[in-house]
Amino acid sequence: MEKINKIYGIKAVISDKKANEQPSFLSESETKGVRNFHTTVEGYKATPLVSLDNLAKELGVSKVYVKDESYRFGLNAFKGLGVTYAIAKVLCEKLDVDINSVSFDYFKSPEVAEKIKDMVFVTATDGNHGRAVAWAATQLGCKSIVYMPKDSSLRRLQHIKDAGADASILDVNYDDAVRKSKEKAEEIGGYIVQDTAWEGYEKVPNWICQGYTTMAAEALDQMKLEGVIRPTHVFLQAGVGSFAGGILGYYANIFKAQLPITTIVEPEKAACIYKSALANDDKPHAVTGDLDTIMAGLACGEPNTVTWEILRDFASAYVSCPDYVAARGMRVLANPIGSDEKVVSGESGAVGLGLVSLLMEREELKELKDKLQLDENSVILCFSTEGDTDPDHYKKVVYDGKNPSIFE
Ligand SMILES: Cc1ncc(COP(=O)(O)O)c(C=O)c1O
């Protein structure tokens, strides 16, 4: 591991790990049914892969692709992919059926609905995952209970309530809210559908990760239509690391020795993956405290224990970013150059692109740019994992310039 000195608040660790075996639960054969299943969910459509050609020219790279997950299932974020697949797998186990033989509508049929109507799904969330759980549970005629950490956005809480959940904000941070949801599920005999794993709780979060592979596969298909076989660089933002681990683990299986150079990006106050990489003892390490950041979806202090190993073994770099990096990404995507398309990207969706723009534009960050081998041949893939899920804050950042720029 090599530590890069802090510049403009940006800290990085470069990996010297040689990749181990690819994670088998994210192999092509293990995940091949996932996308088929998603196509049966009402409203499924591949989200746009936006090619920002003028931005690429401006930054001096070959291509900048942004997968716009604000279009996913009308939920303004990607989380419905993990939730629909994981809940379906839970139901398949209960009903003793094979997921490859059923559609999402199967669970809504009267005879199945009768069997599952008393099920309660419980989860903790910074917003997007909980909204997806509420949305899926309601469609299936089931109940959901959703806990949010302190200082959560009231707009996000309202979205979750509107989707049908019994939702509330607790006076604890994200990781403690996860513990509360586990306790609640145990107390009422509910089903915990948490998008992070810990020792003894791996099955459901692994299904959630498998669910995320649909967007990774879609992106590759969409690039192929433009004659691009693989990106050279992928930037993945991390909260607990399930999203990043799901995508990276899948790409590790697909690309093997040709894996794109992958950078894990986190907010500085909740950089548990960066902290774990820096410790360099193979173990996940937690960050505690308020986890205060505008990137609410990434405000998680305890790594997913399964995906940590994927991030440890396959990522090339881990970067800890101050909030202005996300704000910059939101603004860059909201202000397209020339004929480039606009992408409405929220705080947790935009940080990867914000980092890319800084690496390519700021001479002071050249060391990190060079370590990542970013140059005029680079084909960069970012995932904008949410739209304006907190519209008031989005406007403050994008319209009013709230949150400092690098120059302040
Ligand atoms: C918009 C958005 N992006 C990224 C993430 C990160 O996902 P993970 O916690 O799996 O790292 C989240 C998690 O809530 C999110 O809401």
Side-chain angles (χ1 to χ4, degrees), residues 91 94 112-120 140-143:
L91 296 178
K94 182 179 166 70
V112 175
E114 182 56 30
K115 288 185 194 153
I116 65 173
K117 69 177 190 331
D118 295 327
M119 290 174 79
V120 183
L140 297 168
C142 301
K143 289 194 185 60

Side-chain angles (χ1 to χ4, degrees), residues 78-79 128 195 237-243 297-298 300 348-349 385-386:
F78 74 106
K79 291 276 181 174
N128 295 320
D195 51 348
Q237 56 275 42
V240 297
S242 305
F243 155 73
L298 311 184
C300 314
S348 301
T385 43
E386 68 176 351

Side-chain angles (χ1 to χ4, degrees), residues 35 101 191-192 227 236 267 329 339 341 386 402:
R35 201 164 165 195
S101 67
Y191 292 75
I192 179 160
L236 299 171
S339 56
E341 268 173 60
E386 68 176 351
K402 185 177 182 265

